Amino acid sequence: MVKTFECEKGFSYTICKISKKIPHNGMTLRAFLNLLGDRGRLITCLILAAPFLIPLSIPGTGIVIGTIILLTSLSIILNRYYLVPEFLLKREMSYKTLIKILDACYRMLNFLEKYMKPRLLLMTNKKSTRMVNNLFLVICSILFITPLPIPLTDTLPAFGIFFLSAGILECDGYLILFGYFMVIITALYFLIITFIGLKLLFHVF
């Protein structure tokens, strides 16, 4: 929770500062997005994916969170402000939920910052690679909201979204490559599960 945050240098420090500005009566999604600042779209993807990095995610939030991540990643490609619909922007988010999300993000970033640094800048400095990075982010977002009632269908794409967002924000090409790897693994996992499911349905009917 907020009280456990230690405001050290690095990107986790940004998360810490954001957490201290959240009112105890909660806030709307619009207010939360405005709080994230200039790099808000990528920070949004990173923060919202963080709670799903462990299999025990917040119940009932997968579709809503996944939709917001998808629309946010699309807005990055289109170079537009958030494409999130008005009814979602007006959605109230409780203090407890927001702190859980930020806490999960903070813990992961606090660990990764020991290893994150600008490197392999080819993955972030060229327009073509930036476009590919954003496309992978969109693909991973689509996989995230795919309704398959099986384990890891939230966790695997969440890792892809998290590492892609963190890598782009920190200009770390290694993290971006790991994000690519997670997207490919997730897509293969979904294809295998879908194939097995269809095969079972064929035998049943």
PDB file of all heavy atoms in Angstrom, residues 157-184:
ATOM      1  N   PRO A 157      -0.416 -12.117 -21.342  1.00  0.00           N
ATOM      2  CA  PRO A 157      -0.428 -10.849 -22.077  1.00  0.00           C
ATOM      3  C   PRO A 157      -0.083  -9.652 -21.196  1.00  0.00           C
ATOM      4  O   PRO A 157       0.471  -8.664 -21.681  1.00  0.00           O
ATOM      5  CB  PRO A 157      -1.851 -10.747 -22.628  1.00  0.00           C
ATOM      6  CG  PRO A 157      -2.664 -11.704 -21.843  1.00  0.00           C
ATOM      7  CD  PRO A 157      -1.740 -12.775 -21.399  1.00  0.00           C
ATOM      8  N   ALA A 158      -0.389  -9.739 -19.901  1.00  0.00           N
ATOM      9  CA  ALA A 158      -0.037  -8.637 -18.989  1.00  0.00           C
ATOM     10  C   ALA A 158       1.474  -8.453 -18.929  1.00  0.00           C
ATOM     11  O   ALA A 158       1.969  -7.315 -18.890  1.00  0.00           O
ATOM     12  CB  ALA A 158      -0.596  -8.908 -17.596  1.00  0.00           C
ATOM     13  N   PHE A 159       2.215  -9.545 -18.942  1.00  0.00           N
ATOM     14  CA  PHE A 159       3.675  -9.454 -18.961  1.00  0.00           C
ATOM     15  C   PHE A 159       4.160  -8.779 -20.242  1.00  0.00           C
ATOM     16  O   PHE A 159       5.066  -7.950 -20.216  1.00  0.00           O
ATOM     17  CB  PHE A 159       4.309 -10.843 -18.826  1.00  0.00           C
ATOM     18  CG  PHE A 159       4.586 -11.246 -17.411  1.00  0.00           C
ATOM     19  CD1 PHE A 159       3.770 -12.151 -16.760  1.00  0.00           C
ATOM     20  CD2 PHE A 159       5.670 -10.712 -16.727  1.00  0.00           C
ATOM     21  CE1 PHE A 159       4.015 -12.522 -15.451  1.00  0.00           C
ATOM     22  CE2 PHE A 159       5.933 -11.079 -15.421  1.00  0.00           C
ATOM     23  CZ  PHE A 159       5.104 -11.988 -14.773  1.00  0.00           C
ATOM     24  N   GLY A 160       3.544  -9.155 -21.373  1.00  0.00           N
ATOM     25  CA  GLY A 160       3.930  -8.524 -22.630  1.00  0.00           C
ATOM     26  C   GLY A 160       3.676  -7.030 -22.614  1.00  0.00           C
ATOM     27  O   GLY A 160       4.531  -6.227 -23.011  1.00  0.00           O
ATOM     28  N   ILE A 161       2.489  -6.629 -22.153  1.00  0.00           N
ATOM     29  CA  ILE A 161       2.139  -5.205 -22.071  1.00  0.00           C
ATOM     30  C   ILE A 161       3.079  -4.471 -21.124  1.00  0.00           C
ATOM     31  O   ILE A 161       3.567  -3.374 -21.432  1.00  0.00           O
ATOM     32  CB  ILE A 161       0.674  -5.050 -21.603  1.00  0.00           C
ATOM     33  CG1 ILE A 161      -0.284  -5.582 -22.679  1.00  0.00           C
ATOM     34  CG2 ILE A 161       0.353  -3.589 -21.290  1.00  0.00           C
ATOM     35  CD1 ILE A 161      -1.705  -5.775 -22.188  1.00  0.00           C
ATOM     36  N   PHE A 162       3.342  -5.077 -19.971  1.00  0.00           N
ATOM     37  CA  PHE A 162       4.177  -4.435 -18.958  1.00  0.00           C
ATOM     38  C   PHE A 162       5.599  -4.201 -19.472  1.00  0.00           C
ATOM     39  O   PHE A 162       6.142  -3.094 -19.372  1.00  0.00           O
ATOM     40  CB  PHE A 162       4.214  -5.296 -17.694  1.00  0.00           C
ATOM     41  CG  PHE A 162       4.885  -4.631 -16.525  1.00  0.00           C
ATOM     42  CD1 PHE A 162       4.145  -3.876 -15.623  1.00  0.00           C
ATOM     43  CD2 PHE A 162       6.242  -4.745 -16.325  1.00  0.00           C
ATOM     44  CE1 PHE A 162       4.762  -3.254 -14.540  1.00  0.00           C
ATOM     45  CE2 PHE A 162       6.869  -4.132 -15.257  1.00  0.00           C
ATOM     46  CZ  PHE A 162       6.126  -3.387 -14.353  1.00  0.00           C
ATOM     47  N   PHE A 163       6.215  -5.227 -20.052  1.00  0.00           N
ATOM     48  CA  PHE A 163       7.599  -5.098 -20.496  1.00  0.00           C
ATOM     49  C   PHE A 163       7.735  -4.201 -21.723  1.00  0.00           C
ATOM     50  O   PHE A 163       8.719  -3.458 -21.841  1.00  0.00           O
ATOM     51  CB  PHE A 163       8.194  -6.480 -20.760  1.00  0.00           C
ATOM     52  CG  PHE A 163       8.551  -7.226 -19.510  1.00  0.00           C
ATOM     53  CD1 PHE A 163       7.887  -8.384 -19.160  1.00  0.00           C
ATOM     54  CD2 PHE A 163       9.534  -6.743 -18.661  1.00  0.00           C
ATOM     55  CE1 PHE A 163       8.199  -9.061 -17.993  1.00  0.00           C
ATOM     56  CE2 PHE A 163       9.857  -7.414 -17.493  1.00  0.00           C
ATOM     57  CZ  PHE A 163       9.188  -8.579 -17.154  1.00  0.00           C
ATOM     58  N   LEU A 164       6.766  -4.257 -22.621  1.00  0.00           N
ATOM     59  CA  LEU A 164       6.794  -3.349 -23.775  1.00  0.00           C
ATOM     60  C   LEU A 164       6.673  -1.897 -23.321  1.00  0.00           C
ATOM     61  O   LEU A 164       7.447  -1.033 -23.771  1.00  0.00           O
ATOM     62  CB  LEU A 164       5.661  -3.691 -24.746  1.00  0.00           C
ATOM     63  CG  LEU A 164       5.866  -4.907 -25.651  1.00  0.00           C
ATOM     64  CD1 LEU A 164       4.563  -5.265 -26.355  1.00  0.00           C
ATOM     65  CD2 LEU A 164       6.966  -4.649 -26.672  1.00  0.00           C
ATOM     66  N   SER A 165       5.731  -1.630 -22.422  1.00  0.00           N
ATOM     67  CA  SER A 165       5.533  -0.256 -21.935  1.00  0.00           C
ATOM     68  C   SER A 165       6.759   0.247 -21.188  1.00  0.00           C
ATOM     69  O   SER A 165       7.224   1.370 -21.417  1.00  0.00           O
ATOM     70  CB  SER A 165       4.302  -0.194 -21.021  1.00  0.00           C
ATOM     71  OG  SER A 165       3.153  -0.623 -21.694  1.00  0.00           O
ATOM     72  N   ALA A 166       7.295  -0.581 -20.288  1.00  0.00           N
ATOM     73  CA  ALA A 166       8.474  -0.185 -19.507  1.00  0.00           C
ATOM     74  C   ALA A 166       9.678   0.014 -20.420  1.00  0.00           C
ATOM     75  O   ALA A 166      10.453   0.968 -20.258  1.00  0.00           O
ATOM     76  CB  ALA A 166       8.780  -1.239 -18.447  1.00  0.00           C
ATOM     77  N   GLY A 167       9.842  -0.877 -21.401  1.00  0.00           N
ATOM     78  CA  GLY A 167      10.978  -0.763 -22.319  1.00  0.00           C
ATOM     79  C   GLY A 167      10.914   0.495 -23.162  1.00  0.00           C
ATOM     80  O   GLY A 167      11.930   1.166 -23.365  1.00  0.00           O
ATOM     81  N   ILE A 168       9.715   0.841 -23.650  1.00  0.00           N
ATOM     82  CA  ILE A 168       9.564   2.060 -24.454  1.00  0.00           C
ATOM     83  C   ILE A 168       9.802   3.298 -23.597  1.00  0.00           C
ATOM     84  O   ILE A 168      10.492   4.236 -24.009  1.00  0.00           O
ATOM     85  CB  ILE A 168       8.164   2.109 -25.101  1.00  0.00           C
ATOM     86  CG1 ILE A 168       7.983   0.946 -26.087  1.00  0.00           C
ATOM     87  CG2 ILE A 168       7.960   3.437 -25.831  1.00  0.00           C
ATOM     88  CD1 ILE A 168       6.557   0.735 -26.553  1.00  0.00           C
ATOM     89  N   LEU A 169       9.249   3.294 -22.379  1.00  0.00           N
ATOM     90  CA  LEU A 169       9.408   4.440 -21.489  1.00  0.00           C
ATOM     91  C   LEU A 169      10.865   4.675 -21.101  1.00  0.00           C
ATOM     92  O   LEU A 169      11.332   5.809 -21.015  1.00  0.00           O
ATOM     93  CB  LEU A 169       8.569   4.244 -20.219  1.00  0.00           C
ATOM     94  CG  LEU A 169       7.074   4.504 -20.349  1.00  0.00           C
ATOM     95  CD1 LEU A 169       6.327   3.953 -19.152  1.00  0.00           C
ATOM     96  CD2 LEU A 169       6.798   5.992 -20.498  1.00  0.00           C
ATOM     97  N   GLU A 170      11.602   3.589 -20.854  1.00  0.00           N
ATOM     98  CA  GLU A 170      12.986   3.690 -20.389  1.00  0.00           C
ATOM     99  C   GLU A 170      14.004   3.531 -21.519  1.00  0.00           C
ATOM    100  O   GLU A 170      15.204   3.490 -21.264  1.00  0.00           O
ATOM    101  CB  GLU A 170      13.252   2.626 -19.317  1.00  0.00           C
ATOM    102  CG  GLU A 170      12.435   2.816 -18.047  1.00  0.00           C
ATOM    103  CD  GLU A 170      12.811   4.073 -17.296  1.00  0.00           C
ATOM    104  OE1 GLU A 170      14.007   4.443 -17.318  1.00  0.00           O
ATOM    105  OE2 GLU A 170      11.930   4.699 -16.694  1.00  0.00           O
ATOM    106  N   CYS A 171      13.519   3.440 -22.783  1.00  0.00           N
ATOM    107  CA  CYS A 171      14.407   3.252 -23.947  1.00  0.00           C
ATOM    108  C   CYS A 171      15.315   2.036 -23.764  1.00  0.00           C
ATOM    109  O   CYS A 171      16.502   2.068 -24.112  1.00  0.00           O
ATOM    110  CB  CYS A 171      15.261   4.509 -24.187  1.00  0.00           C
ATOM    111  SG  CYS A 171      14.293   5.956 -24.625  1.00  0.00           S
ATOM    112  N   ASP A 172      14.757   0.971 -23.208  1.00  0.00           N
ATOM    113  CA  ASP A 172      15.514  -0.254 -22.967  1.00  0.00           C
ATOM    114  C   ASP A 172      15.115  -1.293 -24.011  1.00  0.00           C
ATOM    115  O   ASP A 172      14.063  -1.925 -23.904  1.00  0.00           O
ATOM    116  CB  ASP A 172      15.237  -0.765 -21.551  1.00  0.00           C
ATOM    117  CG  ASP A 172      16.169  -1.903 -21.141  1.00  0.00           C
ATOM    118  OD1 ASP A 172      16.642  -2.630 -22.029  1.00  0.00           O
ATOM    119  OD2 ASP A 172      16.423  -2.053 -19.934  1.00  0.00           O
ATOM    120  N   GLY A 173      15.971  -1.473 -25.016  1.00  0.00           N
ATOM    121  CA  GLY A 173      15.668  -2.395 -26.102  1.00  0.00           C
ATOM    122  C   GLY A 173      15.574  -3.840 -25.659  1.00  0.00           C
ATOM    123  O   GLY A 173      14.816  -4.622 -26.236  1.00  0.00           O
ATOM    124  N   TYR A 174      16.310  -4.210 -24.603  1.00  0.00           N
ATOM    125  CA  TYR A 174      16.245  -5.584 -24.108  1.00  0.00           C
ATOM    126  C   TYR A 174      14.869  -5.894 -23.526  1.00  0.00           C
ATOM    127  O   TYR A 174      14.323  -6.975 -23.744  1.00  0.00           O
ATOM    128  CB  TYR A 174      17.315  -5.824 -23.039  1.00  0.00           C
ATOM    129  CG  TYR A 174      18.730  -5.913 -23.576  1.00  0.00           C
ATOM    130  CD1 TYR A 174      19.814  -6.070 -22.719  1.00  0.00           C
ATOM    131  CD2 TYR A 174      18.987  -5.839 -24.941  1.00  0.00           C
ATOM    132  CE1 TYR A 174      21.110  -6.146 -23.198  1.00  0.00           C
ATOM    133  CE2 TYR A 174      20.271  -5.901 -25.438  1.00  0.00           C
ATOM    134  CZ  TYR A 174      21.337  -6.066 -24.570  1.00  0.00           C
ATOM    135  OH  TYR A 174      22.614  -6.142 -25.053  1.00  0.00           O
ATOM    136  N   LEU A 175      14.321  -4.940 -22.793  1.00  0.00           N
ATOM    137  CA  LEU A 175      12.975  -5.135 -22.246  1.00  0.00           C
ATOM    138  C   LEU A 175      11.941  -5.236 -23.363  1.00  0.00           C
ATOM    139  O   LEU A 175      10.999  -6.031 -23.284  1.00  0.00           O
ATOM    140  CB  LEU A 175      12.600  -3.978 -21.318  1.00  0.00           C
ATOM    141  CG  LEU A 175      13.023  -4.063 -19.851  1.00  0.00           C
ATOM    142  CD1 LEU A 175      12.465  -2.879 -19.078  1.00  0.00           C
ATOM    143  CD2 LEU A 175      12.582  -5.362 -19.206  1.00  0.00           C
ATOM    144  N   ILE A 176      12.120  -4.430 -24.407  1.00  0.00           N
ATOM    145  CA  ILE A 176      11.194  -4.473 -25.541  1.00  0.00           C
ATOM    146  C   ILE A 176      11.259  -5.841 -26.220  1.00  0.00           C
ATOM    147  O   ILE A 176      10.222  -6.429 -26.559  1.00  0.00           O
ATOM    148  CB  ILE A 176      11.513  -3.346 -26.541  1.00  0.00           C
ATOM    149  CG1 ILE A 176      11.204  -1.981 -25.915  1.00  0.00           C
ATOM    150  CG2 ILE A 176      10.704  -3.523 -27.831  1.00  0.00           C
ATOM    151  CD1 ILE A 176      11.652  -0.807 -26.747  1.00  0.00           C
ATOM    152  N   LEU A 177      12.463  -6.358 -26.412  1.00  0.00           N
ATOM    153  CA  LEU A 177      12.618  -7.687 -27.018  1.00  0.00           C
ATOM    154  C   LEU A 177      11.972  -8.761 -26.153  1.00  0.00           C
ATOM    155  O   LEU A 177      11.354  -9.693 -26.671  1.00  0.00           O
ATOM    156  CB  LEU A 177      14.107  -8.001 -27.225  1.00  0.00           C
ATOM    157  CG  LEU A 177      14.798  -7.246 -28.363  1.00  0.00           C
ATOM    158  CD1 LEU A 177      16.285  -7.586 -28.389  1.00  0.00           C
ATOM    159  CD2 LEU A 177      14.162  -7.573 -29.711  1.00  0.00           C
ATOM    160  N   PHE A 178      12.110  -8.619 -24.839  1.00  0.00           N
ATOM    161  CA  PHE A 178      11.458  -9.576 -23.946  1.00  0.00           C
ATOM    162  C   PHE A 178       9.939  -9.447 -24.056  1.00  0.00           C
ATOM    163  O   PHE A 178       9.211 -10.436 -23.984  1.00  0.00           O
ATOM    164  CB  PHE A 178      11.903  -9.365 -22.503  1.00  0.00           C
ATOM    165  CG  PHE A 178      11.463 -10.459 -21.578  1.00  0.00           C
ATOM    166  CD1 PHE A 178      12.048 -11.715 -21.627  1.00  0.00           C
ATOM    167  CD2 PHE A 178      10.433 -10.246 -20.667  1.00  0.00           C
ATOM    168  CE1 PHE A 178      11.625 -12.738 -20.788  1.00  0.00           C
ATOM    169  CE2 PHE A 178      10.002 -11.258 -19.824  1.00  0.00           C
ATOM    170  CZ  PHE A 178      10.606 -12.504 -19.876  1.00  0.00           C
ATOM    171  N   GLY A 179       9.464  -8.205 -24.247  1.00  0.00           N
ATOM    172  CA  GLY A 179       8.036  -7.998 -24.478  1.00  0.00           C
ATOM    173  C   GLY A 179       7.573  -8.688 -25.750  1.00  0.00           C
ATOM    174  O   GLY A 179       6.509  -9.318 -25.777  1.00  0.00           O
ATOM    175  N   TYR A 180       8.375  -8.590 -26.833  1.00  0.00           N
ATOM    176  CA  TYR A 180       8.069  -9.313 -28.080  1.00  0.00           C
ATOM    177  C   TYR A 180       7.924 -10.809 -27.797  1.00  0.00           C
ATOM    178  O   TYR A 180       6.998 -11.472 -28.273  1.00  0.00           O
ATOM    179  CB  TYR A 180       9.197  -9.128 -29.096  1.00  0.00           C
ATOM    180  CG  TYR A 180       9.252  -7.796 -29.800  1.00  0.00           C
ATOM    181  CD1 TYR A 180       8.420  -6.739 -29.444  1.00  0.00           C
ATOM    182  CD2 TYR A 180      10.160  -7.587 -30.832  1.00  0.00           C
ATOM    183  CE1 TYR A 180       8.488  -5.528 -30.094  1.00  0.00           C
ATOM    184  CE2 TYR A 180      10.241  -6.375 -31.495  1.00  0.00           C
ATOM    185  CZ  TYR A 180       9.402  -5.347 -31.115  1.00  0.00           C
ATOM    186  OH  TYR A 180       9.478  -4.144 -31.767  1.00  0.00           O
ATOM    187  N   PHE A 181       8.904 -11.331 -27.061  1.00  0.00           N
ATOM    188  CA  PHE A 181       8.929 -12.759 -26.744  1.00  0.00           C
ATOM    189  C   PHE A 181       7.650 -13.168 -26.009  1.00  0.00           C
ATOM    190  O   PHE A 181       7.034 -14.191 -26.331  1.00  0.00           O
ATOM    191  CB  PHE A 181      10.161 -13.070 -25.891  1.00  0.00           C
ATOM    192  CG  PHE A 181      10.217 -14.479 -25.374  1.00  0.00           C
ATOM    193  CD1 PHE A 181      10.542 -15.531 -26.225  1.00  0.00           C
ATOM    194  CD2 PHE A 181       9.946 -14.752 -24.044  1.00  0.00           C
ATOM    195  CE1 PHE A 181      10.579 -16.835 -25.748  1.00  0.00           C
ATOM    196  CE2 PHE A 181       9.985 -16.047 -23.551  1.00  0.00           C
ATOM    197  CZ  PHE A 181      10.306 -17.089 -24.413  1.00  0.00           C
ATOM    198  N   MET A 182       7.221 -12.347 -25.038  1.00  0.00           N
ATOM    199  CA  MET A 182       6.022 -12.666 -24.275  1.00  0.00           C
ATOM    200  C   MET A 182       4.770 -12.618 -25.153  1.00  0.00           C
ATOM    201  O   MET A 182       3.851 -13.429 -24.989  1.00  0.00           O
ATOM    202  CB  MET A 182       5.876 -11.699 -23.096  1.00  0.00           C
ATOM    203  CG  MET A 182       6.892 -11.903 -21.983  1.00  0.00           C
ATOM    204  SD  MET A 182       6.959 -13.596 -21.346  1.00  0.00           S
ATOM    205  CE  MET A 182       5.268 -13.866 -20.829  1.00  0.00           C
ATOM    206  N   VAL A 183       4.727 -11.678 -26.107  1.00  0.00           N
ATOM    207  CA  VAL A 183       3.582 -11.596 -27.017  1.00  0.00           C
ATOM    208  C   VAL A 183       3.509 -12.858 -27.878  1.00  0.00           C
ATOM    209  O   VAL A 183       2.428 -13.439 -28.067  1.00  0.00           O
ATOM    210  CB  VAL A 183       3.669 -10.340 -27.910  1.00  0.00           C
ATOM    211  CG1 VAL A 183       2.525 -10.335 -28.934  1.00  0.00           C
ATOM    212  CG2 VAL A 183       3.618  -9.071 -27.069  1.00  0.00           C
ATOM    213  N   ILE A 184       4.653 -13.300 -28.391  1.00  0.00           N
ATOM    214  CA  ILE A 184       4.697 -14.504 -29.231  1.00  0.00           C
ATOM    215  C   ILE A 184       4.297 -15.742 -28.427  1.00  0.00           C
ATOM    216  O   ILE A 184       3.493 -16.570 -28.887  1.00  0.00           O
ATOM    217  CB  ILE A 184       6.107 -14.684 -29.839  1.00  0.00           C
ATOM    218  CG1 ILE A 184       6.380 -13.553 -30.835  1.00  0.00           C
ATOM    219  CG2 ILE A 184       6.239 -16.039 -30.521  1.00  0.00           C
ATOM    220  CD1 ILE A 184       7.824 -13.458 -31.285  1.00  0.00           C
TER     221      ILE A 184
END
